[in-house]
Amino acid sequence: MATTRVLRRRLSPKTIFLHPPRALTPLAMSNRCNTSPKRRKPWQPYLRLPAFLPVPLRARRDGWTPQRQAKFIGLLAQTGCVRTAAQMLGLSRESAYRLRRHPEAGSFVAAWNTALKGRTQPRWKFTQADRAPLAFGQLLQPRMWRRRFMGIQRKASNPALLALVTNLDRQTAGCDVDPFTDRQARALFGRFL
């Protein structure tokens, strides 16, 4: 009888809207907030995409320009999908794989692999034939911030420029030709002489 009296008191019209009876609630209510720790995503280190030499192709307005190649690598790192990254640039997946298979696409492939795997790969070793493009700022690096593609940075390599100057110095050391009048020197270093 004592329990029915307690239920009747709780079910009175004055208190029913304030607190539902315990017998009718599925779980006991408490005044405490959720005490379980919040799950956070593990910290992801910032992905630094390597600088690469764009694949030399015929110049086409709707094709793979050097800027589009760098944007593709950045979008590939952001999305993780070749088809989506190519579609965002208005190009096809097949043409992206065709560009990857190009014989002179070594550093482009290294940047592609880094973008897909999400961690830095061993650096691509540039050959002596790549020194001139490296020295004159044809090296492109996609810039990422918090896993989002932000833009392209054009980089010049000072060691490659110094190696070119040293090589030119060695070639002209034994001859009596003035490097300022030599056509090959003018072609290589025209804007610096």
Side-chain angles (χ1 to χ4, degrees), residues 4-67:
T4 55
R5 193 177 302 154
V6 171
L7 280 176
R8 282 187 190 155
R9 246 187 271 156
R10 284 193 183 153
L11 293 177
S12 68
K14 291 182 181 178
T15 59
I16 194 162
F17 68 91
L18 294 175
H19 303 287
R22 288 187 188 208
L24 300 177
T25 58
L27 297 173
M29 296 175 62
S30 72
N31 291 335
R32 294 189 307 165
C33 296
N34 187 4
T35 58
S36 62
K38 291 183 179 179
R39 292 184 187 176
R40 294 187 178 179
K41 292 180 183 177
W43 182 76
Q44 297 264 341
Y46 295 118
L47 178 63
R48 183 174 179 164
L49 294 173
F52 69 95
L53 280 174
V55 181
L57 297 173
R58 235 175 352 127
R60 286 187 55 169
R61 186 176 51 86
D62 61 342
W64 284 98
T65 62
Q67 285 75 24

Side-chain angles (χ1 to χ4, degrees), residues 106-164:
S107 63
F108 179 77
V109 171
W112 180 312
N113 291 339
T114 301
L116 278 183
K117 291 185 180 176
R119 59 180 184 270
T120 307
Q121 305 294 314
R123 289 189 67 184
W124 175 257
K125 305 239 180 194
F126 293 102
T127 62
Q128 288 184 357
D130 296 334
R131 278 187 186 162
L134 288 173
F136 298 131
Q138 293 180 4
L139 203 61
L140 299 175
Q141 182 173 19
R143 305 300 290 176
M144 304 292 288
W145 188 70
R146 293 189 179 180
R147 294 282 193 192
R148 296 238 182 250
F149 171 66
M150 299 308 287
I152 305 166
Q153 180 181 7
R154 188 174 290 273
K155 296 178 74 175
S157 174
N158 289 338
L161 181 63
L162 289 174
L164 273 177

Side-chain angles (χ1 to χ4, degrees), residues 168 171-185:
L168 179 67
Q171 288 177 358
T172 58
C175 63
D176 296 331
V177 177
D178 184 18
F180 292 104
T181 58
D182 188 28
R183 274 191 285 162
Q184 284 183 333

Side-chain angles (χ1 to χ4, degrees), residues 2 5-6 38 58 68 73 82-83 91 94 98 139:
R5 193 177 302 154
V6 171
K38 291 183 179 179
R58 235 175 352 127
R68 278 195 181 163
I73 294 294
V82 176
R83 181 183 302 274
L91 298 164
E94 290 79 15
R98 196 176 319 120
L139 203 61

